[in-house]
Amino acid sequence: MRVIITIAALWLVFTLPAFSQNDSTRYINGLPVTEDDTTGQLLQSDLEPKNKVTKVRRNEIPAELLKALNTDSQYQGWQDSTVYFESNTGLYLIPIKTEDGVRVYGVDRKGNPVTFDEVSRQRQ
């Protein structure tokens, strides 16, 4: 009888830890992470270019663009704002204040509009 109790006790000692193991899976933000998961490093060439916007002085504005700004009625009031150049796209950004907010024109060197955005003022 002692032999059976000893065998049963030894069996419990060796088998219970096998059944009570903790889950080795880690979770980050609710998703399981294993050793196979790796984070790849992006090459610099794979990253989006940095947005490079610089102020343009009045005397550095191309002549064709300046002519379009002075003659086209949609650009009326541009003299009261700062002209910016975005080197990634090659566009000149002209923000023009209106009663309702700000209109931002993106134009090329010749003054042709390429992009347009309007930011309205929040009225309460």
Side-chain angles (χ1 to χ4, degrees):
M1 184 68 155
R2 284 186 184 179
V3 174
I4 294 176
I5 294 175
T6 305
I7 292 174
L10 289 174
W11 181 78
L12 284 174
V13 168
F14 290 113
T15 57
L16 282 180
F19 292 115
S20 66
Q21 288 181 352
N22 292 335
D23 187 9
S24 63
T25 304
R26 293 182 324 147
Y27 292 88
I28 297 177
N29 296 327
L31 299 173
V33 177
T34 64
E35 291 178 17
D36 294 337
D37 291 336
T38 58
T39 56
Q41 297 294 324
L42 294 176
L43 299 174
Q44 285 294 71
S45 61
D46 290 344
L47 300 176
E48 291 184 27
K50 292 183 179 178
N51 194 7
K52 296 182 183 176
V53 178
T54 56
K55 290 182 182 180
V56 179
R57 293 186 215 145
R58 302 277 175 181
N59 60 351
E60 294 176 348
I61 297 174
E64 289 181 284
L65 174 58
L66 193 58
K67 180 180 175 186
L69 292 174
N70 288 326
T71 58
D72 198 337
S73 62
Q74 70 180 344
Y75 303 127
Q76 185 175 3
W78 76 270
Q79 297 89 349
D80 299 330
S81 66
T82 303
V83 176
Y84 299 95
F85 180 71
E86 185 176 6
S87 61
N88 291 342
T89 60
L91 295 179
Y92 291 86
L93 304 175
I94 293 90
I96 299 173
K97 294 179 184 177
T98 64
E99 293 176 3
D100 299 330
V102 177
R103 291 182 181 164
V104 181
Y105 293 94
V107 297
D108 62 9
R109 294 184 63 80
K110 296 180 181 182
N112 299 320
V114 178
T115 63
F116 174 76
D117 190 20
E118 189 164 11
V119 180
S120 298
R121 292 184 182 162
Q122 298 291 333
R123 294 189 178 173
Q124 296 177 359

